[in-house]
Amino acid sequence: MDSIDAFRDLLMSLADVYAQEDREGARVLVDVYRAAAQDTAPTPSPPYQPMNAAILASTETAKTAAAKAARAAHSVLPWARTGKLDEQITKEVSDVFSVAILVGPGALIHNETVMGGLFVQRSGALYPAHAHAAEETYAMIAGTAEWQKDFGEWEEHKAGELIHHPTNIPHATRTRSMPIMAAWRWSGDIRPSTYRMCEAPESQSI
Ligand SMILES: [Fe+2]
């Protein structure tokens, strides 16, 4: 399979992933992915060197269709430090992950109302609590990680599971011995300028 076919398979797989979610923002993204799968022709994208090994390792034994397709389409995915959030996220925080934006304003698949893409977090790492105005749903597609909302209990989620973050709720992710790959989507107020890191309340720690 060539990388363009793999990329189109990836878009259809991501549509199937979000077709499980009964929310308007998910329905819009599903339609965007399915339409784009018909005619989007990505061009080769240089590897994001700081995370390339983790990106490849995250899908090495992947079982989901989306992760297999992401691996096959690796050479055309726009993996980057943060995508749209380079100003809001310090390098210290972004050193643990990489983002590939597929849908959004000015993205490969241009859309003004929703965003969507892929996320990889390296093994043994914490992505500390942060929040943003956009409503967000992650979909684990490879590996297992722990997710925390509003400084509550850490909950384990594995490939195939969805994690929803309502607008402005603090959320964090930590990995263990393996990197993870997840799909993500944003809807509602998708302005990157609303993104911020969050401090734990005095009585709690993460
Ligand atoms: Fe988020």
Tab-separated table of all heavy atoms in Angstrom, residues 130 132 136 138 171, ligand 1:
chain	number	residue	atom	x	y	z
A	130	HIS	N	-3.508	20.909	31.987
A	130	HIS	CA	-3.694	22.062	31.123
A	130	HIS	C	-5.175	22.133	30.776
A	130	HIS	O	-5.933	21.179	31.035
A	130	HIS	CB	-2.835	21.939	29.860
A	130	HIS	CG	-3.069	20.664	29.110
A	130	HIS	ND1	-2.550	19.446	29.556
A	130	HIS	CD2	-3.788	20.376	28.004
A	130	HIS	CE1	-2.935	18.489	28.726
A	130	HIS	NE2	-3.701	19.026	27.776
A	132	HIS	N	-8.300	24.296	28.032
A	132	HIS	CA	-8.555	25.154	26.866
A	132	HIS	C	-10.057	25.242	26.672
A	132	HIS	O	-10.818	24.390	27.174
A	132	HIS	CB	-7.875	24.588	25.615
A	132	HIS	CG	-7.945	23.100	25.523
A	132	HIS	ND1	-9.113	22.432	25.226
A	132	HIS	CD2	-7.014	22.144	25.763
A	132	HIS	CE1	-8.878	21.134	25.248
A	132	HIS	NE2	-7.617	20.922	25.587
A	136	GLU	N	-13.015	18.699	23.925
A	136	GLU	CA	-12.017	17.791	23.361
A	136	GLU	C	-12.374	16.336	23.636
A	136	GLU	O	-12.865	16.011	24.716
A	136	GLU	CB	-10.673	18.103	24.012
A	136	GLU	CG	-9.537	17.163	23.692
A	136	GLU	CD	-8.280	17.621	24.410
A	136	GLU	OE1	-8.179	17.406	25.633
A	136	GLU	OE2	-7.425	18.226	23.757
A	138	TYR	N	-10.243	12.710	23.230
A	138	TYR	CA	-9.148	11.845	22.800
A	138	TYR	C	-9.714	10.452	22.541
A	138	TYR	O	-10.661	10.028	23.196
A	138	TYR	CB	-8.084	11.729	23.887
A	138	TYR	CG	-7.071	12.844	23.928
A	138	TYR	CD1	-7.250	13.946	24.763
A	138	TYR	CD2	-5.921	12.787	23.149
A	138	TYR	CE1	-6.304	14.968	24.816
A	138	TYR	CE2	-4.975	13.805	23.199
A	138	TYR	CZ	-5.171	14.881	24.026
A	138	TYR	OH	-4.233	15.885	24.075
A	171	HIS	N	-6.830	18.866	32.507
A	171	HIS	CA	-6.625	17.434	32.252
A	171	HIS	C	-5.138	17.160	32.059
A	171	HIS	O	-4.380	18.026	31.648
A	171	HIS	CB	-7.450	16.941	31.057
A	171	HIS	CG	-7.329	17.778	29.821
A	171	HIS	ND1	-7.991	18.968	29.671
A	171	HIS	CD2	-6.633	17.600	28.676
A	171	HIS	CE1	-7.720	19.480	28.486
A	171	HIS	NE2	-6.878	18.675	27.856
B	1	FE	FE	-6.568	19.025	25.809
